[in-house]
Amino acid sequence: MTAPQIFESTDDGYSYYFRLDEIEEGTDGRVYVGVTRSGGITKGTDTPVRITEENWRREGWRTLRPGKRVPGWH
């Protein structure tokens, strides 16, 4: 089993994490399907989400920094 692809974004001083489960290709572009966690790495709520390619760029998602782990996802 391969490790999940995990991304992070910071908006208004809050950290958000996203575990990518799949990418869907549609007529309107890609849709990133997975789970977000807000409220920090160890607390907060995991929420299933679908992020359009446009929102992905606007929200500034980037690969999780080396050495950082998200409990329950790694």
Side-chain angles (χ1 to χ4, degrees):
M1 186 170 114
T2 60
Q5 288 185 278
I6 299 175
F7 300 86
E8 62 183 329
S9 177
T10 303
D11 185 30
D12 298 331
Y14 294 99
S15 293
Y16 297 88
Y17 300 91
F18 178 79
R19 184 191 71 217
L20 178 64
D21 292 333
E22 68 177 299
I23 297 174
E24 295 177 353
E25 297 284 347
T27 55
D28 296 333
R30 289 182 171 173
V31 176
Y32 300 88
V33 180
V35 177
T36 59
R37 179 177 294 175
S38 59
I41 287 180
T42 59
K43 60 184 182 204
T45 304
D46 288 357
T47 306
V49 70
R50 299 168 55 85
I51 303 173
T52 64
E53 194 164 11
E54 178 182 336
N55 285 344
W56 183 268
R57 284 193 297 272
R58 185 179 40 206
E59 293 168 4
W61 290 102
R62 61 190 180 278
T63 303
L64 191 67
R65 287 172 278 179
K68 204 169 196 184
R69 296 177 53 84
V70 180
W73 288 3
H74 284 96

